[in-house]
Amino acid sequence: MRRDDHCHSRELYLRPATTNVILALMKIDGNNIVLIYVTFPDQKSATELARTSIEQKLAACANVFAPHISVYRWNQKVETATETAVIFKTSRRMADKLRHLIDEHHDYDVPCIVTLDPSHVAKPFSDWIHDSVESD
């Protein structure tokens, strides 16, 4: 089997000790990147805030997903609503500023703003995120 035939994974062809070093370096690098998951009441508000976050260099990328159905408890009742989820990709250093921007402009009384810490991030992708939000 060629390398290209198996998920494009370099680690499969390295000795275990080398793999552990590479994964450790990726983890250190990955700890500088965070993903922030947010739900919005509609696609328009989600897209507007995604664009604002990119323009202000608080996020390198924002994935705006198709509207979906959410089922949740609110004021002692089970509710159903259509929402739009966004995953913002940013540096750990910019995360607080981005969360503040989201909270400040969000329509919900209790917005879903969840920060996710990836354990492994490909270095070229991590570098791109860093360059997109950290450079002048």
Side-chain angles (χ1 to χ4, degrees):
M1 179 182 302
R2 292 189 342 240
R3 188 181 102 180
D4 292 344
D5 293 337
H6 201 297
C7 302
H8 305 300
S9 179
R10 278 188 175 170
E11 288 82 32
L12 295 175
Y13 296 93
L14 298 173
R15 291 179 300 192
T18 306
T19 301
N20 291 340
V21 170
I22 288 172
L23 292 177
L25 289 172
M26 288 174 69
K27 184 168 183 168
I28 291 167
D29 192 58
N31 286 336
N32 292 320
I33 302 303
V34 296
L35 307 176
I36 300 177
Y37 172 83
V38 183
T39 55
F40 292 88
D42 55 63
Q43 204 160 20
K44 183 177 185 276
S45 62
T47 303
E48 286 175 359
L49 199 52
R51 180 171 286 283
T52 299
S53 72
I54 305 301
E55 289 170 347
Q56 293 186 16
K57 296 180 79 172
L58 298 177
C61 176
N63 300 119
V64 180
F65 292 90
H68 60 273
I69 302 297
S70 291
V71 180
Y72 56 95
R73 182 173 302 280
W74 186 253
N75 294 327
Q76 306 305 320
K77 289 175 46 184
V78 175
E79 302 282 347
T80 303
T82 301
E83 294 185 303
T84 299
V86 178
I87 295 179
F88 296 88
K89 299 165 190 162
T90 191
S91 67
R92 183 171 302 284
R93 195 170 78 80
M94 293 302 204
D96 283 341
K97 291 177 184 177
L98 177 56
R99 283 189 295 263
H100 179 75
L101 174 79
I102 294 166
D103 194 44
E104 188 176 86
H105 291 91
H106 207 288
D107 293 332
Y108 289 162
D109 293 335
V110 182
C112 168
I113 304 171
V114 178
T115 302
L116 306 168
D117 288 314
S119 60
H120 301 288
V121 177
K123 181 143 178 37
F125 187 72
S126 175
D127 290 346
W128 171 74
I129 290 174
H130 183 270
D131 292 347
S132 295
V133 298
E134 300 285 341
S135 63
D136 291 329

